Amino acid sequence: MKRSIAELVTELRRFAKARDWDQFHSPKNLAAALSVEAGEVLEHFQWLTEQQSRELPARKRKEIALELADVLLYLLRLSDQLDIDLLDAASRKIKINAKKYPAHRARGSAKKYTEL
Amino acid sequence: MKRSIAELVTELRRFAKARDWDQFHSPKNLAAALSVEAGEVLEHFQWLTEQQSRELPARKRKEIALELADVLLYLLRLSDQLDIDLLDAASRKIKINAKKYPAHRARGSAKKYTEL
Amino acid sequence: MKRSIAELVTELRRFAKARDWDQFHSPKNLAAALSVEAGEVLEHFQWLTEQQSRELPARKRKEIALELADVLLYLLRLSDQLDIDLLDAASRKIKINAKKYPAHRARGSAKKYTEL
Amino acid sequence: MKRSIAELVTELRRFAKARDWDQFHSPKNLAAALSVEAGEVLEHFQWLTEQQSRELPARKRKEIALELADVLLYLLRLSDQLDIDLLDAASRKIKINAKKYPAHRARGSAKKYTEL
């Protein structure tokens, strides 16, 4: 059954509590775990061309889906431990980015990406 | 205004389209960006004790909130480019973890964490 | 003046001692710092094509040189704190890799890289 | 047989050439691989206390030695592809750090580490 973000957060809380894992889930440790999991995602792509990465076979995408899930789960757990509302922060960040890279100026030049 | 995951995905799609950025957003590049952003989160914690990481001042948590947002935004963008339903994958992953670490056995021993 | 690996290790030891930084340089913290610095290296490359990454202007290579130096310095400090002889380990690892990927079989197929 | 940095660089060059792997070893890909390997190092430490990380059993240190070797090998390969003299850059970086954190001021305050 597919859960919402709020439901995932609650379930992760319960999951850690039932296993007495809160002692390991300091923000510092969770930040390390988040980085480790992001590295495991990248491992799948490191030797591919960009084109190959756009045409992954279904089997490979299925594997990667579970790695992306790991990143999300640690991200939610870390946000929860820091008492941060992640969806709210993401909404604010999008707004900040919209101001920083106005569409009419970013288009074409794409300076963010092409400046060497 | 706080958005749902589905709304964030749509908005990120529109954002990239308006700036002609899809050319840069290959899964390979997004996986690299995800890892870079996770590293920026970790940077805040690297020299803190675990205890300090549990007692961050509000100002610091506000900064970190925007870094966590960056991780989420790239995670959503990457999932979208790979046609992966992230919430569904996360729900499945929680179920897998529940089988892998049954509460009655994980409790106390916490072997996952303590085995050197 | 260009130093050898052994000289760098000694100097880093002295550097930390003079600043009373050994308390911060636990292997755990240094492993986090190593990962953060590797992320900063990757940041320079995340939106480039592979071709662009092979043709960096001198100014950019100079910037990256100092980021690579950061990775090396934390790597040496971490090895030293763990009492690991890094050059010896690297020599052994090359030997292991040579057995794992025999040239006559790896050539052409390059399975390590191309298997999706 | 334990090799020097210069010997390792030469051997890695020969290793890639014999397997026709230079096509995969763009600086971009090597920077991703460096980050992935640094993540594998961090994985060993993520749930340990700092104290535990200072007291690793010999068997564990032996495992980690080979992970650190991987980081060094990609670091050398990347430096070589970018025509960067890594030991020279590290020597310069130490000098920069010495100016940035003068011992008499860094001592005690350790602001670099403790500022929240």
Side-chain angles (χ1 to χ4, degrees):
Chain A
M1 198 194 59
K2 187 168 138 183
R3 288 158 187 87
S4 70
I5 288 289
E7 286 165 343
L8 286 171
V9 169
T10 307
E11 197 151 351
L12 289 171
R13 229 182 262 175
R14 203 161 33 202
F15 197 95
K17 199 177 176 60
R19 282 155 189 80
D20 207 11
W21 281 359
D22 272 307
Q23 55 183 315
F24 302 110
H25 286 189
S26 65
K28 178 181 173 125
N29 287 2
L30 292 167
L34 179 70
S35 193
V36 167
E37 295 299 332
E40 293 186 8
V41 171
L42 183 56
E43 192 175 6
H44 289 274
F45 295 101
Q46 59 187 342
W47 305 118
L48 302 185
T49 64
E50 287 187 60
Q51 191 49 38
Q52 286 173 322
S53 82
R54 292 186 193 268
E55 298 166 343
L56 292 181
R59 180 184 48 72
K60 195 72 190 167
R61 279 189 291 122
K62 220 168 158 177
E63 261 182 66
I64 293 173
L66 291 179
E67 308 266 24
L68 294 178
D70 278 331
V71 175
L72 181 63
L73 296 179
Y74 281 120
L75 186 61
L76 293 177
R77 189 82 186 118
L78 175 52
S79 302
D80 191 33
Q81 295 287 50
L82 292 173
D83 206 13
I84 286 170
D85 183 328
L86 187 61
L87 288 180
D88 179 63
S91 306
R92 280 186 293 123
K93 193 62 206 285
I94 280 194
K95 217 169 148 183
I96 292 171
N97 287 345
K99 272 193 195 155
K100 198 168 162 191
Y101 305 106
H104 64 282
R105 246 197 296 161
R107 172 176 278 282
S109 97
K111 207 188 155 195
K112 178 188 175 191
Y113 294 107
T114 55
E115 62 180 343
L116 295 178
Chain B
M1 199 193 60
K2 187 167 139 183
R3 287 158 187 87
S4 71
I5 287 289
E7 286 166 343
L8 287 171
V9 169
T10 307
E11 196 151 352
L12 289 171
R13 232 183 259 175
R14 203 162 32 202
F15 198 94
K17 199 177 176 62
R19 283 155 188 79
D20 207 12
W21 281 358
D22 272 307
Q23 56 183 315
F24 302 111
H25 286 187
S26 65
K28 178 183 173 122
N29 287 2
L30 292 167
L34 179 70
S35 193
V36 167
E37 296 299 334
E40 293 187 7
V41 171
L42 183 55
E43 193 176 5
H44 289 274
F45 295 101
Q46 60 188 341
W47 306 119
L48 303 184
T49 63
E50 288 188 59
Q51 190 51 36
Q52 286 173 321
S53 83
R54 292 187 193 266
E55 299 166 342
L56 292 182
R59 180 185 47 73
K60 196 71 191 166
R61 278 189 293 122
K62 220 168 158 178
E63 263 182 65
I64 293 173
L66 292 179
E67 308 267 24
L68 294 179
D70 278 330
V71 176
L72 180 63
L73 296 178
Y74 281 121
L75 186 61
L76 292 176
R77 189 81 186 119
L78 175 52
S79 302
D80 192 33
Q81 294 288 51
L82 290 173
D83 207 13
I84 286 171
D85 183 328
L86 186 61
L87 288 180
D88 180 63
S91 306
R92 279 186 293 122
K93 194 61 207 286
I94 279 194
K95 215 168 148 185
I96 293 171
N97 287 344
K99 271 194 195 154
K100 199 169 161 189
Y101 306 106
H104 63 281
R105 245 196 299 159
R107 173 176 276 283
S109 97
K111 204 187 158 197
K112 179 188 174 192
Y113 293 106
T114 55
E115 64 180 339
L116 294 178
Chain C
M1 199 194 60
K2 186 167 139 183
R3 288 159 187 87
S4 71
I5 288 289
E7 286 166 342
L8 286 171
V9 169
T10 307
E11 197 151 350
L12 288 171
R13 228 182 263 177
R14 202 160 34 199
F15 198 94
K17 199 178 177 61
R19 283 155 189 80
D20 206 10
W21 281 359
D22 272 306
Q23 55 182 315
F24 302 111
H25 287 188
S26 65
K28 177 180 173 125
N29 288 1
L30 291 166
L34 179 70
S35 193
V36 167
E37 295 299 333
E40 293 187 7
V41 171
L42 183 55
E43 192 176 6
H44 288 275
F45 295 101
Q46 60 188 342
W47 306 118
L48 302 185
T49 64
E50 287 189 58
Q51 192 50 38
Q52 287 173 321
S53 83
R54 291 185 193 269
E55 297 166 343
L56 292 181
R59 180 185 46 74
K60 195 72 190 166
R61 278 190 292 122
K62 221 169 157 176
E63 261 181 66
I64 293 172
L66 291 179
E67 308 266 24
L68 295 178
D70 279 331
V71 176
L72 181 63
L73 296 179
Y74 281 120
L75 186 61
L76 292 176
R77 189 80 186 120
L78 175 53
S79 303
D80 191 33
Q81 295 288 49
L82 292 172
D83 207 13
I84 286 170
D85 182 328
L86 187 61
L87 288 180
D88 179 63
S91 305
R92 279 186 293 123
K93 193 63 205 286
I94 280 194
K95 217 169 149 183
I96 292 171
N97 288 344
K99 271 194 196 155
K100 197 170 162 189
Y101 305 106
H104 63 281
R105 246 196 297 160
R107 173 176 278 283
S109 98
K111 205 189 154 195
K112 177 188 174 190
Y113 294 107
T114 55
E115 62 181 341
L116 294 179
Chain D
M1 198 194 60
K2 185 168 139 184
R3 287 159 187 87
S4 71
I5 288 288
E7 286 166 343
L8 287 171
V9 169
T10 307
E11 197 151 351
L12 289 171
R13 230 184 261 177
R14 202 162 33 201
F15 198 94
K17 199 178 177 60
R19 283 154 189 81
D20 207 11
W21 282 357
D22 272 307
Q23 55 183 315
F24 303 109
H25 287 188
S26 65
K28 178 182 174 123
N29 288 1
L30 292 167
L34 179 69
S35 193
V36 167
E37 295 299 334
E40 293 187 7
V41 171
L42 183 55
E43 192 176 4
H44 289 275
F45 295 101
Q46 59 188 342
W47 306 119
L48 303 184
T49 63
E50 288 187 59
Q51 190 50 37
Q52 286 173 322
S53 83
R54 292 186 192 266
E55 298 166 343
L56 292 180
R59 179 185 47 73
K60 195 71 190 167
R61 278 189 294 122
K62 219 168 161 178
E63 262 182 66
I64 293 172
L66 291 179
E67 309 266 24
L68 294 179
D70 278 330
V71 175
L72 181 63
L73 295 179
Y74 281 120
L75 186 62
L76 292 176
R77 189 81 185 118
L78 175 53
S79 302
D80 192 33
Q81 295 288 51
L82 291 173
D83 207 14
I84 286 171
D85 183 328
L86 186 61
L87 288 180
D88 179 63
S91 306
R92 279 186 294 122
K93 193 62 206 285
I94 280 195
K95 216 170 148 183
I96 292 171
N97 287 344
K99 270 192 197 157
K100 199 169 161 189
Y101 305 106
H104 63 282
R105 247 197 296 161
R107 172 177 279 282
S109 98
K111 206 187 154 194
K112 178 187 175 190
Y113 294 107
T114 55
E115 64 180 339
L116 295 180

